[in-house]
Amino acid sequence: MTITCQEILKNHQPLWQEATVHPFLEGCKQGTITPEQFNTWLVQDYQFVVEFTRMLARILSVAPLHHFDVLLGGLIALKDELNWFQVKAAERNLSLDVAKQRTCEEYSQFLANLARTPYAVQATGLWAVELAYNQGWQLPGPMPEPYTEFADRWGNPGFTDYVKLLEQQADEMLSNASPEVQKEAEQTVITVAQFEKAFWQMAFNAT
């Protein structure tokens, strides 16, 4: 029996809900998030995106040729995203040259370890991370300034379409994967959800 990305989400809906609906995001919407909380998220997320870019490059190195177009589009977008983070940090007088906090370090190591898994698992993990960003910033609805730009970056329809393409690629690979690989892919989504929740909480706890 083949499992799909949507079936994985359905199997773990409460956990995925916690990964994409969090008081940090609600605080952005309500305007109650503090500068310390948001700045912690911004700096640590930049560090995460650096490692995520490396992960995507590793995935591209083992991807089938017909997946290249979507993945290369993601890499091009990440180039812009890293530059954008640098601009946002400068506007807030923040240094991005900081150590990763424990949650960010552990999440980054998880991304690195994905390189040792079958491509079907890597494709599923990539989709899960991007979906978490997409839904996390999209589900609260319109964000007030100064968070509108952040919500628009990951909640816009174009990014949603990109995530759907990643889902199609992951489902394609899962359809030909062994039960053991499918189980590993499902566990990867579970781990992504746990890390996403922890990442929001890390920033929310900042003082």
Side-chain angles (χ1 to χ4, degrees):
M1 182 177 178
T2 299
I3 196 167
T4 66
C5 290
Q6 288 302 314
E7 287 170 343
I8 293 174
L9 291 184
K10 185 177 180 180
N11 290 345
H12 306 283
Q13 188 54 45
L15 181 61
W16 192 257
Q17 176 85 0
E18 292 178 348
T20 54
V21 179
H22 191 275
F24 178 91
L25 293 160
E26 186 61 26
C28 291
K29 181 179 180 180
Q30 299 298 330
T32 57
I33 209 76
T34 67
E36 291 80 9
Q37 290 171 315
F38 195 81
N39 291 344
T40 296
W41 170 81
L42 191 153
V43 170
Q44 291 297 309
D45 203 54
Y46 171 79
Q47 299 289 345
F48 172 80
V49 173
V50 169
E51 302 305 328
F52 182 77
T53 302
R54 293 190 172 109
M55 182 200 78
L56 183 51
R58 290 190 293 267
I59 290 176
L60 181 66
S61 73
V62 296
L65 184 59
H66 67 284
H67 285 192
F68 272 28
D69 189 58
V70 173
L71 298 178
L72 285 170
L75 277 173
I76 292 170
L78 283 170
K79 175 184 176 182
D80 173 71
E81 188 166 304
L82 289 168
N83 291 334
W84 176 81
F85 266 109
Q86 292 167 9
V87 171
K88 296 299 111 181
E91 289 175 357
R92 292 168 173 263
N93 295 315
L94 300 174
S95 172
L96 293 173
D97 186 21
V98 298
K100 297 184 184 76
Q101 292 193 23
R102 180 176 178 179
T103 298
C104 185
E105 182 61 50
E106 291 177 351
Y107 200 176
S108 298
Q109 188 58 55
F110 167 75
L111 297 184
N113 292 342
L114 275 180
R116 296 197 290 267
T117 66
Y119 177 68
V121 177
Q122 296 184 52
T124 305
L126 171 61
W127 160 76
V129 174
E130 295 288 46
L131 180 67
Y133 268 74
N134 185 225
Q135 292 190 341
W137 286 104
Q138 194 176 66
L139 291 176
M143 287 277 189
E145 296 293 351
Y147 310 115
T148 308
E149 184 179 0
F150 293 84
D152 288 348
R153 171 162 286 273
W154 294 289
N156 70 78
F159 191 74
T160 300
D161 289 342
Y162 169 66
V163 173
K164 289 178 180 177
L165 291 173
L166 292 177
E167 180 180 344
Q168 291 172 14
Q169 292 186 340
D171 280 345
E172 175 198 339
M173 302 312 298
L174 289 171
S175 69
N176 297 309
S178 68
E180 292 76 19
V181 170
Q182 291 181 26
K183 184 176 181 180
E184 188 175 4
E186 184 167 10
Q187 182 57 52
T188 295
V189 175
I190 292 170
T191 304
V192 166
Q194 292 169 335
F195 271 124
E196 288 293 328
K197 177 185 176 182
F199 207 98
W200 295 125
Q201 193 62 40
M202 170 193 67
F204 193 71
N205 289 342
T207 55

